Amino acid sequence: MRIGIVGGGAIGLLYAFHLTKAFDVTLYVKRKAQLQLIGDNGGITVLHQQTEETREITVKLWGDVNVPEDDVIIVAVKQYSLPELMNSLKKCSKRQSVFFLQNGMAHIDLLSDLINPRIFLGVVEHGVKKENDFTISWTGKGRTKLAHYPKPLPEPSTVDFTEKWTKDIINDFPIEICPDFNEMMMQKLLVNAIINPLTAIFHVRNGELLTNIHYKKTMAMLYNELSLFVDKNKRQETWEHICTICERTATNWSSMNRDIQEGRETEVDAILGYLKKLAISRGESVPITEFIYEAVKGLQDMK
C-alpha cells in the first residue's frame, strides 16, 4: 500500500518518519532545496527526548505530480495552502483515500469539490517543532484522531490502512478512530482557539496561560464566550480538557506563536475566523473572539 504525504512542514515530516516504518511512503515537498537537503542528509531526522534517529524516505516535488497515484494521500499543509492543491486532489479516483490534517475547520467547505476519493478528517495531538528542512523535534507524543467524512462505510483499502497502522506502529504512533468528525474537530478547534491566539499575543509558552492568573482569566473569558459551541452538559469537561492540554504542553511554543515570531502567515482565519463566522451565522455576538482575532491579525501584519 502506497502512502503519499503532501507537505514538508513539521507535521508532514513527523508522519513521513513514523509511517515509513509500516508503509511505502512518498513525501511530496514544494521546494527543490528541501528535496535536496533530505536526500543529502540521509532522510528525516527526529529528535525525541534524549534520542536521535534518521530514516530514509522517498521524496518528490509536488509540482512534478499531475495526479497523485498513492492509495492514501495525507494532506499535511497549512490551512491556507489547501486551495492550490485542490485541482490535483479533485482528480483522485474512487479507489483512493484523502486524509486532511489541518487545524481549524474552514477546509470542510472545500470538501464538496472532491467527488471521487474517500475523505477522512484528522486531528493531530502531537507536539512537534521543525528545526530545519530535514530535522524535527518531537516535543510531545500524542495521538492521531481520524473520522470518516461525512460518514461513509470503510472499504477494504481504508480498513487495511488503519488496521496495519494499529497493528504495526500504534505503540510508537497512536491512532484513534472517531465516530463523529464534527465533535472530534470542534473539540480540537476550541483547544486551538484558546491556546494558540493567546500565546501568540502574550508571547508565552503554553503553560504560562495557567500559571499566570491574569492570562488564565483571559483564557476563561474567551472560553466562556466560545462555549456556545459546546453542549451545556460538556462545558466543564471541555474547559478541563483545554487546561489539561495546556499543562501537558507547558514548555511548548504554540504554532501560532512561532508563526508570528518567524514572520509567517498564521492560521487565525481557519480557527478564530471560522468560529467568528459560525457565531454570526447563528445570530450570536462574540466581541472577545473578534478582539483576539483582530489582535492576532495586527501582529501578523507587523512582521
Side-chain angles (χ1 to χ4, degrees):
M1 181 174 291
R2 296 171 298 173
I3 310 300
I5 299 176
V6 185
I11 297 299
L13 293 176
L14 180 70
Y15 278 74
F17 176 87
H18 282 287
L19 293 182
T20 195
K21 298 173 184 177
F23 300 99
D24 178 6
V25 174
T26 298
L27 174 67
Y28 296 98
V29 299
K30 188 176 183 179
R31 294 177 293 109
K32 289 182 179 179
Q34 184 175 20
L35 182 149
Q36 186 70 40
L37 281 168
I38 293 174
D40 290 347
N41 288 277
I44 297 169
T45 298
V46 170
L47 311 175
H48 180 54
Q49 297 176 345
Q50 304 302 315
T51 66
E52 177 179 328
E53 183 181 356
T54 300
R55 297 189 66 86
E56 292 184 4
I57 185 76
T58 300
V59 190
K60 295 182 180 180
L61 287 178
W62 178 254
D64 293 341
V65 177
N66 181 31
V67 182
E69 297 182 354
D70 309 275
D71 301 300
V72 176
I73 300 161
I74 298 175
V75 185
V77 300
K78 295 277 191 175
Q79 179 87 230
Y80 48 75
S81 297
L82 278 178
E84 62 187 89
L85 301 180
M86 293 306 291
N87 283 336
S88 292
L89 295 178
K90 288 177 188 176
K91 300 173 184 177
C92 289
S93 69
K94 292 183 179 180
R95 69 169 182 81
Q96 294 174 294
S97 298
V98 181
F99 289 59
F100 291 90
L101 296 181
Q102 284 64 44
N103 284 327
M105 294 178 68
H107 56 295
I108 291 176
D109 294 338
L110 302 174
L111 301 184
S112 60
D113 292 335
L114 302 182
I115 299 174
N116 289 321
R118 203 167 294 104
I119 298 172
F120 285 71
L121 297 173
V123 163
V124 179
E125 295 185 341
H126 297 279
V128 58
K129 177 186 177 184
K130 185 177 179 181
E131 301 292 346
N132 55 45
D133 274 344
F134 59 91
T135 306
I136 55 172
S137 292
W138 190 19
T139 58
K141 180 178 178 180
R143 294 172 298 179
T144 302
K145 291 183 176 181
L146 293 176
H148 303 102
Y149 176 88
K151 287 183 181 178
L153 293 174
E155 292 185 9
S157 61
T158 300
V159 172
D160 288 346
F161 172 69
T162 54
E163 284 188 352
K164 186 170 177 59
W165 184 336
T166 301
K167 177 183 176 183
D168 292 352
I169 57 175
I170 193 169
N171 290 333
D172 292 330
F173 206 55
I175 183 175
E176 177 183 339
I177 307 300
C178 300
D180 187 322
F181 81 88
N182 189 69
E183 181 177 345
M184 175 192 78
M185 297 197 70
M186 182 57 74
Q187 184 182 64
K188 177 64 184 302
L189 178 58
L190 289 171
V191 170
N192 286 335
I194 303 297
I195 297 175
N196 283 14
L198 293 180
T199 53
I201 292 170
F202 300 140
H203 186 38
V204 295
R205 297 178 190 268
N206 294 355
E208 292 182 59
L209 293 181
L210 297 178
T211 58
N212 184 305
I213 187 172
H214 303 290
Y215 293 164
K216 189 170 183 180
K217 285 182 179 179
T218 309
M219 276 182 71
M221 291 169 64
L222 181 57
Y223 176 71
N224 286 339
E225 185 172 275
L226 293 177
S227 64
L228 68 95
F229 299 112
V230 182
D231 186 287
K232 289 182 179 180
N233 296 324
K234 294 185 177 181
R235 288 180 181 175
Q236 182 61 31
E237 176 186 334
T238 302
W239 167 249
E240 291 173 359
H241 174 70
I242 294 169
C243 291
T244 298
I245 296 296
C246 253
E247 188 175 1
R248 286 179 181 171
T249 61
T251 60
N252 291 1
W253 295 101
S254 73
S255 59
M256 192 172 291
N257 180 80
R258 291 199 301 268
D259 287 340
I260 290 292
Q261 298 307 312
E262 296 173 18
R264 296 191 298 260
E265 184 177 355
T266 73
E267 293 182 291
V268 69
D269 285 304
I271 298 172
L272 283 186
Y274 177 84
L275 290 171
K276 186 164 65 81
K277 290 179 182 177
L278 187 59
I280 291 172
S281 72
R282 296 185 181 186
E284 299 283 354
S285 175
V286 286
I288 297 173
T289 303
E290 291 184 2
F291 173 81
I292 300 297
Y293 170 83
E294 296 296 341
V296 174
K297 294 287 281 188
L299 287 171
Q300 180 178 288
D301 290 348
M302 288 177 63
K303 296 296 181 177

